[in-house]
């Protein structure tokens, strides 16, 4: 059954069956057409027409005749041609019947004149009580009498006719058609399945870690599938690269504080650190590096909980202005050390419905990035605005900006805009914006960024205001 599992084989068999069905239907139509065609009975029609016209023409010279003698001679001629001849009057009464028997099938002709005008001398068909079919023709003899000629419709065997006339030509034509159909169906099936086979091969290579792009060819649906797989390949590559970057960044971020902790702890253990000031300095470094590790671990745990949907939010109405003021105070030393000017526009007061700690985490991350990437003597502007439904908080800096191809990825986890930076304070493991994105989305809001290289970046957070959320 493996042979029939291939789509190429199934398409080929489908085309063959379809063509075979068309040939059978065409043959059936030909049989039905021949069975009902007058061409099969042209000999009977000629004989019936000859008897009817010749006898009617002769009998019209004998008006008011005594139906004997000459008339009987004419009727015998009809019998010789195996045609039943009936003479009727204007009212359809039988005056003479060449069969000479009663209760024989007879077409219903109550008004011979009207019947003749309707048929115009043509040949008609009627069936008797036993469903036997008969051909008949009616012609006027004179003003008072009509001649009706009747013959049974012969039973023609279609099989015999086909064997004698049509079987061999139809067999040859059908055989040629089937051979051509086989060839064409094979090419059509191959034309359809070839792109699918290419996609299948690429999918197998994808399973082994190879990512060859698929050419967009074939039907539109196949091209769409190839495009989707190419997009999936790109996402897989991005995911793998992101995980590699994450492992490298996390390893470095953990290695640096662990190295410091290990070094100073070893120095204390080996009593290299002897004075009180040296021991206090070593303890301070160990504590700071431990806090750094704790911060990294908490970020990883937070992101894991956000992904799993298990994180709990303490939702309540909170005011944004105090939160932003406290964050600026927190970064006051770093801001002053770089000579940065902060324009804090809190002229409007908005309350949002959310978790104060998580909202603070969002803006803490945005302000941290703004301070980090703003040059010395640069400028940061933080403003709050909104409407009846949403409050909009903007954090704008005049740093180096973000490249257009990176803007769509800044909220992806483990993604870093500038991988060329050294291992200094501007490097991170790329979780802050991803966590901020998850938190804002969990509050029914949106976070976006507008940036231009050499000009700066503006991060905007839109969160539903308190009364709009309650509605």
């Amino acid at each position: 059954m493996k042979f029939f599992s291939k789509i190429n084989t199934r398409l080929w068999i489908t085309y063959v069956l379809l063509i075979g069905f068309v040939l059978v239907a065409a043959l059936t139509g030909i049989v039905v057409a021949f069975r009902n065609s007058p061409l099969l009975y042209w000999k009977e029609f000629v004989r019936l027409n000859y008897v009817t016209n010749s006898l009617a023409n002769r009998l019209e010279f004998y008006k008011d005749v005594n139906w004997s003698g000459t008339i009987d001679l004419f009727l015998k001629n009809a019998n010789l041609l195996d045609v039943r001849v009936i003479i009727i009057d204007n009212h359809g009464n039988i005056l003479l019947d060449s069969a000479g028997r009663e209760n024989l099938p007879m077409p219903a002709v109550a008004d011979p004149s009207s019947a003749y005008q309707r048929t115009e001398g043509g040949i008609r068909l009627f069936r008797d009580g036993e469903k036997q079919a008969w051909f008949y023709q009616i012609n006027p003899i004179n003003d008072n009498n009509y001649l009706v000629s009747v013959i049974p419709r012969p039973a023609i065997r279609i099989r015999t006719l086909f064997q004698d006339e049509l079987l061999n030509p139809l067999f040859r034509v059908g055989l040629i058609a089937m051979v051509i159909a086989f060839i064409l169906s094979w090419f059509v099936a191959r034309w359809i399945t070839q792109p699918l086979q290419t996609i299948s091969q690429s999918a197998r290579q994808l399973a082994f870690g190879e990512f060859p792009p698929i050419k967009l060819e074939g039907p539109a649906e196949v091209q769409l599938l190839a495009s989707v797989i190419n997009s999936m390949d790109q996402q897989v590559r991005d995911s793998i690269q992101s995980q590699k970057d994450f492992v490298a960044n996390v390893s470095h971020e953990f290695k640096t504080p662990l190295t410091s902790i290990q070094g100073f702890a070893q120095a204390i253990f080996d009593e290299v650190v002897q004075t009180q000031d040296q021991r206090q300095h070593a303890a301070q470094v160990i504590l700071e590096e431990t806090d750094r590790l704790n911060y990294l671990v908490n970020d990883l745990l937070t992101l894991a909980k956000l992904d799993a949907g298990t994180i709990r939010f303490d939702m309540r109405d909170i005011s944004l202005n105090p939160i932003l003021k406290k964050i600026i105070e927190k970064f006051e030393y770093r801001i002053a050390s770089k000579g940065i000017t902060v324009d804090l526009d809190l002229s409007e007061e908005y309350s949002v419905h959310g978790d104060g700690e998580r909202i603070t985490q969002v803006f803490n991350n945005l302000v941290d990035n703004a301070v980090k990437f703003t040059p010395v003597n640069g400028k940061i502007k933080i403003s709050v605005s909104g409407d009846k439904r949403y409050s909009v908080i903007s954090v704008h800096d005049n740093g180096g900006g973000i490249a257009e191809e990176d803007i769509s990825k800044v909220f992806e986890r483990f993604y870093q805009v500038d991988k060329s930076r050294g291992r200094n304070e501007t490097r991170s493991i790329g979780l802050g914006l991803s966590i901020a994105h998850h938190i804002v989305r969990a509050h029914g809001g949106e976070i976006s960024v507008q940036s231009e290289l050499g000009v700066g970046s503006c991060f905007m957070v839109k969160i539903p205001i308190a009364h709009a959320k309650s509605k």
Side-chain angles (χ1 to χ4, degrees):
M1 300 302 291
K2 186 177 180 180
F3 176 77
F4 295 99
S5 64
K6 296 182 178 180
I7 188 172
N8 191 26
T9 304
R10 294 185 179 185
L11 284 173
W12 183 78
I13 293 176
T14 301
Y15 289 135
V16 170
L17 292 177
L18 181 61
I19 294 168
F21 172 77
V22 171
L23 289 176
V24 172
L27 181 61
T28 303
I30 292 174
V31 171
V32 173
F34 264 89
R35 183 176 181 84
N36 297 325
S37 174
L39 295 176
L40 294 178
Y41 308 105
W42 68 272
K43 294 181 180 179
E44 283 69 21
F45 289 171
V46 170
R47 180 159 52 91
L48 184 62
N49 191 65
Y50 169 75
V51 171
T52 303
N53 291 326
S54 62
L55 288 181
N57 291 335
R58 295 180 185 181
L59 290 174
E60 67 177 343
F61 296 105
Y62 297 90
K63 298 180 180 180
D64 300 325
V65 66
N66 185 11
W67 304 102
S68 60
T70 304
I71 302 300
D72 292 339
L73 180 61
F74 292 153
L75 298 182
K76 288 179 181 179
N77 291 335
N79 290 333
L80 289 176
L81 294 174
D82 198 21
V83 178
R84 177 187 172 197
V85 177
I86 306 169
I87 298 177
I88 60 177
D89 60 17
N90 284 329
H91 304 291
N93 298 316
I94 298 176
L95 302 178
L96 185 64
D97 189 342
S98 64
R101 291 179 293 167
E102 296 182 356
N103 300 325
L104 289 176
M106 171 68 186
V109 186
D111 188 354
S113 176
S114 299
Y116 173 71
Q117 293 176 1
R118 287 196 305 269
T119 61
E120 297 181 353
I123 297 174
R124 307 282 292 193
L125 178 71
F126 80 94
R127 295 182 183 274
D128 57 25
E130 298 179 356
K131 304 300 181 182
Q132 172 65 40
W134 301 77
F135 292 125
Y136 74 95
Q137 189 176 23
I138 181 170
N139 266 14
I141 299 175
N142 49 43
D143 295 338
N144 299 317
N145 304 108
Y146 290 85
L147 180 70
V148 180
S149 304
V150 181
I151 58 172
R153 187 179 73 173
I156 298 178
R157 309 183 91 183
I158 300 298
R159 184 180 64 183
T160 303
L161 176 66
F162 268 72
Q163 288 176 348
D164 296 340
E165 304 292 339
L166 298 174
L167 184 60
N168 290 333
L170 282 176
F171 179 78
R172 288 194 295 269
V173 172
L175 182 61
I176 294 173
M178 288 297 290
V179 171
I180 295 175
F182 288 159
I183 298 174
L184 289 178
S185 62
W186 185 84
F187 278 106
V188 170
R190 183 175 178 81
W191 174 63
I192 293 176
T193 59
Q194 183 62 40
L196 293 176
Q197 292 176 354
T198 302
I199 293 175
S200 177
Q201 294 173 359
S202 298
R204 283 196 294 268
Q205 291 176 315
L206 177 63
F208 291 100
E210 300 178 7
F211 307 97
I214 304 173
K215 294 182 179 180
L216 301 182
E217 57 184 6
E221 293 81 2
V222 176
Q223 292 186 27
L224 178 60
L225 176 61
S227 176
V228 171
I229 292 181
N230 285 337
S231 177
M232 181 186 68
D233 289 347
Q234 184 61 46
Q235 293 178 6
V236 171
R237 286 196 294 269
D238 292 343
S239 177
I240 292 176
Q241 185 60 44
S242 179
Q243 291 181 21
K244 289 180 179 179
D245 293 342
F246 167 71
V247 172
N249 292 328
V250 169
S251 299
H252 174 78
E253 294 296 334
F254 275 84
K255 182 178 180 180
T256 300
L258 285 174
T259 300
S260 298
I261 293 172
Q262 183 182 19
F264 281 97
Q266 186 69 40
I268 296 174
F269 181 79
D270 294 338
E271 297 183 352
V272 174
V273 177
Q274 297 179 353
T275 67
Q276 180 65 26
D277 290 341
Q278 289 177 336
R279 286 194 293 269
Q280 187 174 0
H281 175 68
Q284 183 179 357
V285 171
I286 292 174
L287 181 61
E288 289 176 351
E289 295 302 324
T290 303
D291 288 340
R292 184 180 176 186
L293 286 175
N294 186 60
Y295 181 79
L296 293 175
V297 171
N298 285 336
D299 271 356
L300 293 172
L301 291 175
T302 299
L303 188 60
K305 290 179 180 179
L306 288 169
D307 283 339
T310 59
I311 194 167
R312 293 184 179 182
F313 293 98
D314 183 13
M315 306 297 285
R316 62 184 64 185
D317 292 349
I318 57 175
S319 179
L320 293 176
N321 288 1
I323 291 177
L324 295 173
K325 289 179 181 179
K326 288 183 180 179
I327 292 175
I328 295 300
E329 292 175 358
K330 176 181 177 181
F331 290 96
E332 185 175 359
Y333 174 76
R334 289 175 56 191
I335 291 172
S337 65
K338 296 182 69 174
I340 297 174
T341 302
V342 177
D343 181 4
L344 187 60
D345 183 5
L346 302 180
S347 57
E348 298 186 52
E349 178 72 32
Y350 287 92
S351 294
V352 297
H353 190 72
D355 187 318
E357 182 179 349
R358 296 301 178 184
I359 294 294
T360 301
Q361 185 177 1
V362 171
F363 294 118
N364 186 80
N365 183 274
L366 296 181
V367 174
D368 180 43
N369 285 340
V371 174
K372 185 184 300 182
F373 293 105
T374 298
V376 175
N377 299 325
K379 183 177 180 180
I380 296 175
K381 181 178 180 180
I382 302 175
S383 62
V384 179
S385 61
D387 53 27
K388 295 181 179 180
R389 296 189 59 191
Y390 293 95
S391 62
V392 180
I393 304 90
S394 301
V395 180
H396 188 282
D397 66 71
N398 63 344
I402 305 172
E404 184 178 353
E405 61 270 17
D406 291 323
I407 290 179
S408 62
K409 302 177 181 179
V410 294
F411 297 110
E412 294 180 6
R413 65 195 61 187
F414 318 131
Y415 188 80
Q416 298 181 38
V417 173
D418 189 356
K419 300 179 178 62
S420 64
R421 295 182 183 270
R423 298 289 182 177
N424 52 38
E425 65 169 357
T426 62
R427 283 303 297 266
S428 67
I429 60 175
L431 295 178
L433 289 178
S434 179
I435 292 174
H437 177 263
H438 279 77
I439 292 174
V440 173
R441 289 286 300 273
H443 283 75
E446 298 177 3
I447 183 171
S448 60
V449 60
Q450 295 178 352
S451 185
E452 183 178 352
L453 284 176
V455 177
S457 303
C458 180
F459 285 84
M460 292 169 290
V461 178
K462 184 167 71 172
I463 304 178
I465 60 178
H467 68 82
K469 189 73 176 179
S470 61
K471 290 180 180 180

